[in-house]
Each structure stands twice: as structure tokens, then as C-alpha cells.
């Protein structure tokens, strides 16, 4: 999980979600580079956020179904239907 939140908060959320890897305290302007690093390492990347992060989707090469409108929705769209 990559988050702008402080490390203890990000680790707590990750723990509740069953996520083992946490990269915390990432500034919004640095998220593109961190995501690119993960993708280049062969990792699959999905983005879920509060709507502010959806702005980054327009600058990333994510699948078309991960559109900003879906990312800011409170209901999962087709791209997020398997995420619970």
C-alpha cells in the first residue's frame, strides 16, 4: 500500500486490510514515480482514493476502466468490483 499518511496510520490501515507491504508518507507529487517503480518491478498496481488521488489517474497509464469518475465513487465500479 502506498499512502501519503504517516507511517503508523498507514500501517494500521494496512493491517486491518491484510496488506503486508506499506510505503507511507509519500507526497502527491512523488506518487507517480513510486507507482512507476512498482510497475517496472512487475507489480500490479491499483489505485483507490478519496477523489484527490483520482487526478493522478489522468497522468498514469492505468487501464481505461480505472477512470477518475469511478475512482472517486463510493460504490465500486467495474474496475473495482472485486475489491472488498
Amino acid at each position: 500500500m502506498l499512502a501519503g499518511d504517516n507511517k503508523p496510520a498507514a500501517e494500521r490501515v494496512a493491517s486491518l486490510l491484510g496488506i503486508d507491504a506499506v510505503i507511507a508518507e509519500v507526497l502527491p507529487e512523488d506518487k507517480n514515480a513510486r507507482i512507476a517503480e512498482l510497475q517496472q518491478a512487475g507489480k500490479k498496481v491499483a489505485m483507490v482514493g478519496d477523489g484527490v488521488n483520482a487526478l493522478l489517474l489522468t497522468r498514469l497509464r492505468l487501464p481505461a476502466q480505472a477512470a477518475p469518475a469511478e475512482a472517486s465513487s463510493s460504490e465500486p465500479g467495474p474496475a473495482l468490483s472485486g475489491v472488498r
Side-chain angles (χ1 to χ4, degrees), residues 49 51 68-77 80:
E70 283 185 23
S72 62
S73 171
S74 61
E75 294 295 319
L80 301 176

Side-chain angles (χ1 to χ4, degrees), residues 8-34:
E11 287 176 341
R12 174 72 176 136
V13 171
S15 173
L16 291 170
L17 297 173
I19 297 172
D20 297 326
V22 177
I23 303 169
E25 301 177 5
V26 181
L27 297 174
E29 59 270 18
D30 296 333
K31 288 182 180 180
N32 280 346
R34 298 305 298 262

Side-chain angles (χ1 to χ4, degrees), residues 31 47-58 67-74 80:
K31 288 182 180 180
M47 190 167 209
V48 179
D50 55 12
V52 173
N53 288 323
L55 296 174
L56 292 174
L57 287 172
T58 61
E70 283 185 23
S72 62
S73 171
S74 61
L80 301 176

Side-chain angles (χ1 to χ4, degrees), residues 2 10 21 53 59 76:
L2 183 131
N53 288 323
R59 295 172 52 194

Side-chain angles (χ1 to χ4, degrees), residues 1-3 19 21-24 26 30-47 60 62:
M1 183 174 89
L2 183 131
I19 297 172
V22 177
I23 303 169
V26 181
D30 296 333
K31 288 182 180 180
N32 280 346
R34 298 305 298 262
I35 290 169
E37 290 171 11
L38 294 168
Q39 290 173 323
Q40 290 170 356
K43 305 291 183 185
K44 292 184 180 182
V45 177
M47 190 167 209
L60 299 174
L62 295 178

